[in-house]
Amino acid sequence: MSFDAQNLTPAASLNRALIVDLPGFALEDRVKQKTGFDLLSQDDLNHDLQQEAASLFFTDKVPKRLSNRFGDYFQDARTHDMALALGQRYGRDLGYLLLMLKRGDPISRTARPDWDDSYWAHWANIQQVWLGGGLMQGPLGQIAAEAAQSVLAKSGQMDYTVSLSPYTTMVSLPLMGAARYAPPEVRRILVVDCGGSWIKSGIAVYEAGELIQIEDEQYEPANCGSGSADPVQVQAFANYLVAVISRARQRTQTFDPLIICTIANYVKDGQVVERGCYGHLRLITDHLQTYLSKRISSNSNQDVVVKLIHDGTAAAAVHAGAVQTVVLTLGTAIGIGFPPAVDKMRAVSSQFMVVHH
């Protein structure tokens, strides 16, 4: 199937992208035969931090909110150098992945038989990479972006820019992107971002047609666990997801019947299509969007419509209208999205802010 930037399928995933080699470039041996997930997932960075930290003076396990703890390590004189070195290594790994995608060498194409030429042609045309996600919200974000840019510069890719999205330190990009999908008549709406580690929610507020703020951003654990396909556990997770979204709706006292919800899974016509804790929900329903709408309506005593959007696609909507651009969210895994056309998307105010009550 040819590449479609606005209707991504699991084939677009960078988590399974394999770095075999970069002929003619000094690629570190430790990177060879590693996937994007092997190099850039939160679990991988947690593992590296635990090993390095234990060798110094920290003995506690590194929590999932890695960006917060990484900042502690980076600011502590005793661990600054360790944190900086790990952050730079993480950024170089990101640079190697981006370089592999840009070059599309025959050895890389052979390792990705599910991609036809349309995928490689799209990546060859990318000039701007915006970064977001939980791992990028602390000092790791800037360190990684600079290290990735250095790899690309050394390879001669001078028209390939890696930057933190200007909104990354303010808000979840999928949450903000979801808000841009709101219909033009809506003035306040609940937006939810169902990620691998956290379920985030907030109220998107509009004025003069523009998104001016997201209020009362809240986090609850995703409780994805092992992503088991056991029907009992899948049903328990579905119940939990419904409860979290219902609580968000009650807490925010927003009565518009639409909830825009991003989800860490590829979505086709309102149904999840891949594995994992969200993907396995298709074992209990043939249409997750309708399932959530009905159950949350029951909890709310009001007819509610849930609109599901792939989280990477929603994150990319933050930069709607940008061309030759990709948005990557780095956290539990690698999220990917390509900015849609700007028409029919809510504009973002130049005074956009996040308000915590």
Side-chain angles (χ1 to χ4, degrees), residues 24-59:
F25 183 80
L27 180 65
E28 297 177 58
D29 287 339
R30 64 176 181 79
V31 175
K32 295 179 180 179
Q33 301 298 326
K34 295 288 183 67
T35 65
F37 186 84
D38 292 335
L39 297 169
L40 300 172
S41 70
Q42 181 170 270
D43 283 348
D44 180 71
L45 191 50
N46 265 336
H47 177 267
D48 291 344
L49 263 178
Q50 286 171 343
Q51 286 193 321
E52 294 291 340
S55 70
L56 294 165
F57 67 95
F58 291 100
T59 58

Side-chain angles (χ1 to χ4, degrees), residues 10-14 16-18 108-116 120:
S13 172
L14 298 188
R16 66 192 69 176
L18 184 66
S108 299
R109 294 179 184 234
T110 299
R112 196 72 192 259
D114 56 330
W115 280 18
D116 64 16
W120 295 106

Side-chain angles (χ1 to χ4, degrees), residues 166-179:
Y167 300 104
T168 291
T169 58
M170 297 174 62
V171 68
S172 153
L173 292 189
L175 204 65
M176 182 179 175

Side-chain angles (χ1 to χ4, degrees), residues 39-273:
L39 297 169
L40 300 172
S41 70
Q42 181 170 270
D43 283 348
D44 180 71
L45 191 50
N46 265 336
H47 177 267
D48 291 344
L49 263 178
Q50 286 171 343
Q51 286 193 321
E52 294 291 340
S55 70
L56 294 165
F57 67 95
F58 291 100
T59 58
D60 56 327
K61 291 184 178 181
V62 181
K64 288 187 176 181
R65 292 298 301 275
L66 182 60
S67 56
N68 289 351
R69 182 56 60 90
F70 184 91
D72 294 340
Y73 290 164
F74 185 74
Q75 294 168 15
D76 191 314
R78 297 168 294 179
T79 53
H80 173 274
D81 291 348
M82 175 272 290
L84 179 61
L86 282 178
Q88 290 174 335
R89 186 171 79 185
Y90 184 90
R92 291 198 305 275
D93 292 348
L94 173 61
Y96 299 142
L97 178 65
L98 294 172
L99 182 58
M100 180 273 289
L101 295 164
K102 182 76 168 181
R103 287 176 29 157
D105 295 315
I107 194 172
S108 299
R109 294 179 184 234
T110 299
R112 196 72 192 259
D114 56 330
W115 280 18
D116 64 16
D117 289 345
S118 64
Y119 285 82
W120 295 106
H122 193 88
W123 273 105
N125 197 42
I126 294 294
Q127 294 185 351
Q128 175 67 59
V129 181
W130 290 113
L131 301 178
L135 293 182
M136 297 293 97
Q137 289 182 340
L140 175 61
Q142 191 59 47
I143 294 170
E146 291 175 358
Q149 189 69 68
S150 177
V151 167
L152 298 177
K154 288 178 181 178
S155 73
Q157 299 287 348
M158 306 309 294
D159 60 346
Y160 201 6
T161 303
V162 183
S163 314
L164 284 181
S165 170
Y167 300 104
T168 291
T169 58
M170 297 174 62
V171 68
S172 153
L173 292 189
L175 204 65
M176 182 179 175
R180 297 201 68 179
Y181 282 90
E185 70 276 8
V186 171
R187 297 188 64 184
R188 291 172 64 86
I189 192 171
L190 176 64
V191 287
V192 181
D193 171 23
C194 299
S197 298
W198 299 94
I199 299 173
K200 294 141 255 181
S201 61
I203 295 296
V205 182
Y206 308 86
E207 190 174 281
E210 294 184 331
L211 174 64
I212 61 168
Q213 62 192 40
I214 291 180
E215 297 179 351
D216 198 26
E217 187 181 12
Q218 300 285 324
Y219 287 72
E220 291 208 41
N223 287 349
C224 274
S226 61
S228 171
D230 175 75
V232 174
Q233 293 190 41
V234 173
Q235 187 61 64
F237 178 67
N239 295 344
Y240 176 74
L241 180 60
V242 168
V244 170
I245 299 175
S246 297
R247 281 197 295 272
R249 184 170 177 77
Q250 293 163 5
R251 185 190 70 243
T252 54
Q253 297 182 341
T254 296
F255 301 105
D256 191 280
L258 178 64
I259 299 174
I260 302 179
C261 183
T262 80
I263 194 163
N265 204 276
Y266 293 93
V267 177
K268 182 178 181 181
D269 299 327
Q271 175 65 319
V272 287
V273 298

Side-chain angles (χ1 to χ4, degrees), residues 307-343:
K307 177 181 175 62
L308 286 182
I309 305 173
H310 168 239
D311 61 348
T313 297
V318 170
H319 293 281
V323 297
Q324 297 177 294
T325 297
V326 64
V327 176
L328 300 182
T329 52
L330 299 169
T332 306
I334 308 170
I336 179 174
F338 299 89
V342 75
D343 59 321

